[in-house]
């Protein structure tokens, strides 16, 4: 049984950055490497996961059910996901950045 929980932080200060040390990449250029950020559109939400598309490709994002519900993710939403590429061609989310500026952290056990 998988258990997860989320912590939400809202960044109200102008110019606050949440991914200062996180490199931005595209799904088409994604490699199994360090922590990176992907930005794109949610194609479909399915339980603990969702499909993200950025115009170069699509990938399954493993994000846990609670953070997905907390973010109220729906198809068509734009998000920035910080995480790591898995060897099973999926992306393990560490945080979800919403267009509102809110960041929801994903904790996988």
């Amino acid at each position: 049984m998988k258990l997860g929980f989320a912590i939400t932080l809202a960044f109200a200060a102008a110019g606050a950055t949440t991914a200062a040390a996180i490199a931005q990449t595209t799904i088409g250029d994604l490699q199994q490497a360090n922590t990176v950020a992907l930005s794109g559109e949610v194609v479909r939400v399915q339980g603990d996961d969702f499909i993200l598309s950025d115009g170069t490709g699509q990938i399954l994002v493993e994000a846990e059910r609670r953070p997905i519900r907390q973010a109220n993710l729906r198809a068509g939403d734009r998000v920035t996901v910080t995480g790591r590429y898995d060897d099973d061609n999926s992306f393990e989310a560490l945080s979800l950045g919403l267009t509102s500026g809110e960041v929801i952290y994903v904790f996988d056990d």
Side-chain angles (χ1 to χ4, degrees):
M1 175 161 105
K2 285 179 97 174
L3 298 175
F5 62 95
I7 297 175
T8 304
L9 297 177
F11 292 91
T17 59
T18 60
I22 305 297
Q24 181 77 28
T25 193
T26 64
I27 294 168
D29 292 331
L30 195 58
Q31 300 174 23
Q32 194 171 1
N34 297 324
T35 302
V36 296
L38 298 174
S39 294
E41 183 176 308
V42 175
V43 174
R44 180 176 62 240
V45 177
Q46 49 193 49
D48 288 358
D49 309 322
F50 63 93
I51 305 293
L52 184 71
S53 175
D54 72 353
T56 68
Q58 294 184 351
I59 194 162
L60 177 71
V61 177
E62 299 172 350
E64 300 296 322
R65 189 176 308 248
R66 188 169 183 185
I68 289 173
R69 278 194 318 247
Q70 188 174 354
N72 197 27
L73 281 187
R74 306 254 187 266
D77 288 349
R78 298 212 41 93
V79 295
T80 297
V81 182
T82 301
R84 293 185 200 98
Y85 182 62
D86 248 343
D87 57 359
D88 63 353
N89 200 33
S90 64
F91 192 76
E92 185 177 337
L94 300 173
S95 69
L96 306 175
L98 309 179
T99 55
S100 67
E102 181 178 28
V103 176
I104 298 173
Y105 291 92
V106 178
F107 297 97
D108 187 18
D109 55 358

